[in-house]
Amino acid sequence: MSTRVKVSNVSKNFGHVVALNNVSCEVKQGDVFFIIGSSGSGKSTLLRCINRLENVTSGDIWIENDLVTGPKANIRKIREETGMVFQSFNLFPHLNVLNNITLSPRIVKKVSIEEAEEKARILLKRVGLLEKERAYPEQLSGGQQQRVAIARALAMNPMVMLFDEPTSALDPEMTKEVLDVMKDLADEGMTMMVVSHEMGFAKAAANKVVYMDNAEIIEMGTPQQIFDNPQKERTQRFLRNVLRT
Amino acid sequence: MAKINNKTKIEVTDGVLIPARDDSSIFSAWRIAFYGAISVLVLLPVLSPEPYCHVFKFVVGFNEDWHFDFASSGLVKTFEVTVLSIICALIIGLLVGLGRISRYPVINRICTVYVEVIRGIPLLVQLFYIYYALAKFVKIMDISAAVIAMAICYGAYISEIFRAGIQSIPKGQMEAALALGMTRSQAIYRIILPQTIKVVLPPIGNEFIALLKDSSLVSILAVSDLLRRGREYASTAFYYFETYTMVAIIYLILTLFFSRLVAIMEERMKTDVNQG
């Protein structure tokens, strides 16, 4: 399987705060790459560096053969190739569901309205919200909003999807409907990087799990390796604390 | 759940209070003032046509047989100055407001200095400056000088409203737009500004009303607005009390009328959003 995302010795500082310290990892095509760790460990920053919502301080990131970091990078191409889903959904409140999804394909990829809408309806059907195409975001529940946000990201045909704590703002019922959509995506072979606290979902859907603490990758492996047989003391302590609650 | 919508409201600190229907004390005060002013405007000329009726005709622009004369109308002049000024001020305000959130330090600095300088000079002094002081280099026509001065001045205030409005939009909106591949300018034009409009509309309505009132300053230049027509009448007929009472009442009715209009517009927008 070819490498989709390659992160090589990346560091990121915010002033004096070190958010990422010499982080390296590789995501292959079709991987469901799970990043766990306590808050402030640098998980979200890592995702945000991959589509350059943040600039790295040092190190390199590649998506396929495109260098993301560095002054010559084609940032827009990189962002077209990466879909991002946010904790706070960030749907556009002044546009209805259909326009939320079709706006970017139309103005960025210059797709015709008919084609964009046809695609949007296919995606809405996939996330189970076809009947909501005329609704505005504030008329939807949190889980529905997040599913629309996933459809919106998919409309750009990304090569890799970045999920930044997609269910942290949702109550358990809604969490499930979002995770179901993500599970379907994973089963269809979408390459995904997921920052989340949903350990159960990680066990069921992930094929790689990374534990981050204090701006560094502590341990990396299959879900079985990390959850059932963690090698590092810090990983063991984190999992004990998380799984107890 | 993070609520991202237009609940943000910019605090209005000066100008007329905008009477929304749900604020009963201000709304009833508005009614008393508005209908009171209209009654006075009707009753005075009826009960005592000389001089009130003549003042009204002269100032608003009716001739002896109640024919409306556009050219000599103080009311038309006042509107002309106000509307032209607010249009120019909105354009300046939007550009400067965008400049103040620009990533380019030079643009940012220029816009900030402009706002600081203009806000530090009284409007009346700016009017004198453009009309009299700059006359040394270019001769600017009366009404153009008035419009330029008012637009430059109010542009600075309105740019602050736009800046605050743009910054009140959650930063996740910009990030989501960028993450979808939009350029910064596409994101501002398609995502940020449409949401900003609803936030800035009430304070801009207030600026319009403030500008309508401040337009009386241009009577200093040779612009025959409402106040200037009043002065012309008073200085020949010597009815100072009667004339300025009528002028004040007319201004009051105008500002109260527009403040209600702004409130209605704001209510409309609110319900539009709720119904989708």
Side-chain angles (χ1 to χ4, degrees):
Chain A
M1 285 289 188
S2 67
T3 301
R4 274 280 154 92
V5 179
K6 186 168 185 233
V7 176
S8 163
N9 304 102
V10 163
S11 296
K12 168 73 185 173
N13 303 338
F14 292 104
H16 294 295
V17 181
V18 179
L20 292 175
N21 186 12
N22 205 23
V23 169
S24 298
C25 58
E26 239 181 86
V27 180
K28 296 215 186 304
Q29 190 185 336
D31 273 356
V32 177
F33 189 97
F34 229 82
I35 308 167
I36 59 173
S38 42
S39 51
S41 58
K43 302 167 296 186
S44 294
T45 307
L46 178 58
L47 282 198
R48 294 164 60 87
C49 284
I50 290 170
N51 69 350
R52 271 195 75 165
L53 285 181
E54 306 287 354
N55 289 316
V56 300
T57 307
S58 66
D60 291 318
I61 298 174
W62 283 269
I63 296 178
E64 294 277 286
N65 297 318
D66 298 323
L67 182 61
V68 173
T69 46
K72 289 230 171 71
N74 184 347
I75 299 179
R76 288 187 70 185
K77 180 159 181 266
I78 289 155
R79 288 177 178 154
E80 282 178 47
E81 289 171 348
T82 54
M84 190 168 215
V85 176
F86 299 86
Q87 181 178 351
S88 53
F89 328 135
N90 296 347
L91 291 183
F92 306 131
H94 61 300
L95 300 177
N96 67 22
V97 165
L98 198 63
N99 287 334
N100 257 282
I101 298 173
T102 57
L103 178 63
S104 214
R106 271 167 41 213
I107 67 174
V108 176
K109 290 196 156 172
K110 312 290 180 204
V111 173
S112 72
I113 294 187
E114 296 76 24
E115 202 181 322
E117 291 191 344
E118 195 189 325
K119 175 100 200 271
R121 291 200 176 96
I122 293 170
L123 289 167
L124 278 174
K125 199 169 173 193
R126 205 158 137 190
V127 301
L129 289 170
L130 191 53
E131 75 285 359
K132 295 287 187 190
E133 64 170 60
R134 297 281 160 206
Y136 280 78
E138 68 172 14
Q139 298 166 319
L140 302 178
S141 73
Q144 291 172 329
Q145 288 194 44
Q146 194 62 297
R147 280 144 68 198
V148 173
I150 293 172
R152 180 175 71 174
L154 290 173
M156 296 296 281
N157 289 327
M159 298 202 308
V160 52
M161 285 284 284
L162 310 173
F163 290 86
D164 188 3
E165 305 206 22
T167 59
S168 299
L170 299 174
D171 55 33
E173 274 168 75
M174 295 177 181
T175 297
K176 184 171 180 307
E177 63 189 49
V178 171
L179 292 181
D180 287 347
V181 168
M182 289 170 65
K183 182 77 172 63
D184 286 347
L185 266 184
D187 292 344
E188 286 163 25
M190 174 61 77
T191 310
M192 295 161 61
M193 292 181 80
V194 185
V195 168
S196 173
H197 301 290
E198 297 292 334
M199 300 300 163
F201 180 72
K203 280 182 191 167
N207 69 331
K208 262 186 213 162
V209 177
V210 161
Y211 170 63
M212 284 185 77
D213 186 34
N214 204 10
E216 291 176 7
I217 289 183
I218 306 297
E219 199 165 346
M220 198 180 322
T222 64
Q224 290 76 26
Q225 285 169 343
I226 299 292
F227 291 115
D228 301 337
N229 190 19
Q231 300 298 308
K232 299 275 169 53
E233 198 269 327
R234 274 198 275 182
T235 318
Q236 292 164 2
R237 195 168 18 153
F238 172 75
L239 288 171
R240 265 202 310 277
N241 288 337
V242 171
L243 297 177
R244 196 187 300 138
T245 50
Chain B
M1 181 178 104
K3 201 89 165 113
I4 28 165
N5 54 22
N6 14 61
K7 293 281 149 58
T8 331
K9 212 166 177 183
I10 295 173
E11 220 48 60
V12 176
T13 52
D14 54 9
V16 187
L17 286 166
I18 295 179
R21 275 213 182 272
D22 47 10
D23 193 337
S24 59
S25 70
I26 295 175
F27 188 62
S28 68
W30 176 86
R31 260 193 293 205
I32 293 169
F34 186 68
Y35 294 114
I38 287 191
S39 322
V40 173
L41 185 73
V42 173
L43 283 178
L44 284 179
V46 168
L47 296 179
S48 150
E50 177 65 38
Y52 288 109
C53 200
H54 287 116
V55 176
F56 181 81
K57 283 180 180 169
F58 189 87
V59 167
V60 175
F62 292 105
N63 68 13
E64 286 308 311
D65 342 303
W66 288 98
H67 276 298
F68 190 71
D69 179 15
F70 233 71
S72 73
S73 166
L75 192 62
V76 168
K77 226 10 144 219
T78 289
F79 273 113
E80 198 180 331
V81 171
T82 306
V83 170
L84 288 176
S85 302
I86 197 81
I87 290 170
C88 298
L90 281 173
I91 295 167
I92 294 175
L94 179 58
L95 293 177
V96 174
L98 286 172
R100 293 204 58 188
I101 56 159
S102 166
R103 284 172 304 166
Y104 303 104
V106 179
I107 296 177
N108 205 308
R109 188 59 55 83
I110 290 172
C111 293
T112 311
V113 169
Y114 160 74
V115 172
E116 288 306 315
V117 168
I118 295 302
R119 291 207 302 183
I121 302 171
L123 177 54
L124 189 54
V125 176
Q126 290 180 40
L127 278 170
F128 272 48
Y129 199 85
I130 287 183
Y131 191 62
Y132 295 113
L134 290 188
K136 192 174 170 190
F137 311 104
V138 275
K139 185 77 193 124
I140 303 169
M141 288 224 327
D142 320 333
I143 192 151
S144 317
V147 168
I148 291 169
M150 307 267 293
I152 288 175
C153 180
Y154 272 82
Y157 290 94
I158 288 174
S159 77
E160 281 293 276
I161 294 174
F162 273 116
R163 182 184 61 81
I166 291 168
Q167 286 179 340
S168 75
I169 307 300
K171 78 177 199 319
Q173 291 288 307
M174 176 57 98
E175 286 183 351
L178 293 179
L180 284 165
M182 292 183 213
T183 61
R184 247 181 92 86
S185 44
Q186 280 176 328
I188 286 175
Y189 180 64
R190 301 280 191 159
I191 305 300
I192 306 298
L193 284 182
Q195 296 181 56
T196 307
I197 302 293
K198 287 170 192 146
V199 185
V200 300
L201 194 79
I204 282 180
N206 246 21
E207 288 299 311
F208 175 81
I209 293 161
L211 202 152
L212 177 69
K213 290 187 289 178
D214 276 352
S215 74
S216 60
L217 289 172
V218 305
S219 61
I220 297 287
L221 320 181
V223 177
S224 305
D225 72 331
L226 275 174
L227 180 60
R228 174 101 183 179
R229 291 291 283 173
R231 270 170 63 195
E232 286 168 10
Y233 186 86
S235 60
T236 50
F238 301 109
Y239 286 117
Y240 288 101
F241 176 81
E242 293 82 352
T243 307
Y244 290 125
T245 302
M246 288 303 274
V247 169
I249 290 283
I250 293 170
Y251 272 116
L252 181 62
I253 289 171
L254 290 179
T255 48
L256 288 172
F257 172 75
F258 281 110
S259 61
R260 184 75 196 115
L261 211 62
V262 170
I264 290 169
M265 208 151 63
E266 197 187 348
E267 279 164 22
R268 280 270 164 80
M269 285 218 146
K270 245 188 240 162
T271 48
D272 274 1
V273 171
N274 292 338
Q275 291 160 358

